[in-house]
Amino acid sequence: MPSSPSPRTTISEATRHAAALAPMTLDDLDAVMAIEQTAYSHPWSRGNFRDSLNPLFNAQCLWLQGELLGYFLTMRGFEEMHLLNITVAPAHQGQGWGHMMLDALTLMSRQTGAQWLWLEVRQSNQRALQVYVRYGFKQVSIRKDYYPAGRQQREHAVVMSLKL
Ligand SMILES: CC(C)(COP(=O)(O)OP(=O)(O)OC[C@H]1O[C@@H](n2cnc3c(N)ncnc32)[C@H](O)[C@@H]1OP(=O)(O)O)[C@@H](O)C(=O)NCCC(=O)NCCS
């Protein structure tokens, strides 16, 4: 089961500035998988990440003093970017790191000429939905039975987009 997010705490400007993004590498996958497996009921596999470490994707890790705080992974389309995974370590959620990664990935996406950022999110993932809506994403459609949900069940995906 995913861990509960920690209560909101404020991180200082100095801490924010000390954090840095770096492209995800094979050497990062132990740390990435440790977060992935605690953050999701249906985590990506190591192979999913390994297959994404190529020029078709942009995979970035957010580090603070040697600790992995989170990561995101996007795939480029024609004038659009698809956000495939964005995750903050449960112990660091609710402190602004997700927002910071969204800022970074919208900037990177604009630099490639993308006009739109797309994502899918589980309908039950109210917390992520709230984060995306607050960030400016709009719901576009529902993709029925898109995700596995245990016990042979499926769950709808909410498709969202952000004009860049
Ligand atoms: C979704 C996720 C990436 C967001 O990252 P985060 O670091 O927790 O989010 P932030 O702290 O940057 O918050 C972003 C916004 O949500 C709000 N928010 C965050 N945590 C909150 C909380 N506990 N209570 C109320 N509001 C909260 C913030 O106010 C902020 O809005 P603002 O910029 O208008 O102030 C992160 O929670 C996560 O990894 N969740 C598990 C994996 C997941 O579901 N990923 C998305 C799959 S589609």
Side-chain angles (χ1 to χ4, degrees):
M1 287 295 288
S3 313
S4 307
S6 54
R8 297 205 81 194
T9 54
T10 315
I11 44 172
S12 69
E13 275 304 298
T15 303
R16 253 175 234 284
H17 285 127
L21 285 172
M24 189 184 289
T25 69
L26 280 176
D27 290 343
D28 301 328
L29 292 191
D30 284 348
V32 167
M33 285 308 295
I35 293 177
E36 182 75 12
Q37 285 170 344
T38 52
Y40 293 98
S41 57
H42 293 76
W44 279 25
S45 68
R46 179 180 286 264
N48 292 148
F49 284 101
R50 206 175 32 233
D51 292 347
S52 308
L53 298 183
N54 70 59
L56 292 177
F57 300 87
N58 177 20
Q60 297 285 329
C61 286
L62 181 67
W63 295 95
L64 178 67
Q65 289 150 2
E67 182 184 3
L68 183 64
L69 298 179
Y71 45 85
F72 65 82
L73 207 148
T74 58
M75 185 176 69
R76 193 172 168 176
F78 179 67
E79 293 189 352
E80 62 185 34
M81 199 60 81
H82 197 150
L83 177 58
L84 301 176
N85 190 321
I86 180 166
T87 310
V88 173
H92 296 286
Q93 290 175 11
Q95 298 170 17
W97 299 116
H99 195 295
M100 185 188 271
M101 288 199 289
L102 285 168
D103 282 347
L105 79 91
T106 53
L107 193 64
M108 287 173 164
S109 301
R110 281 195 197 104
Q111 283 169 342
T112 68
Q115 306 275 341
W116 294 92
L117 181 60
W118 292 87
L119 61 82
E120 287 98 21
V121 53
R122 282 178 187 268
Q123 204 168 35
S124 64
N125 193 347
Q126 287 302 314
R127 180 183 163 79
L129 275 162
Q130 198 183 334
V131 169
Y132 298 139
V133 168
R134 284 173 74 106
Y135 198 81
F137 282 84
K138 304 274 187 268
Q139 180 174 330
V140 177
S141 62
I142 297 288
R143 212 161 270 167
K144 289 197 170 171
D145 297 331
Y146 187 70
Y147 293 110
R151 296 181 182 222
Q152 315 293 322
Q153 306 278 312
R154 307 288 299 179
E155 179 175 357
H156 301 338
V158 179
V159 182
M160 305 185 89
S161 72
L162 178 77
K163 180 79 179 86
L164 293 170

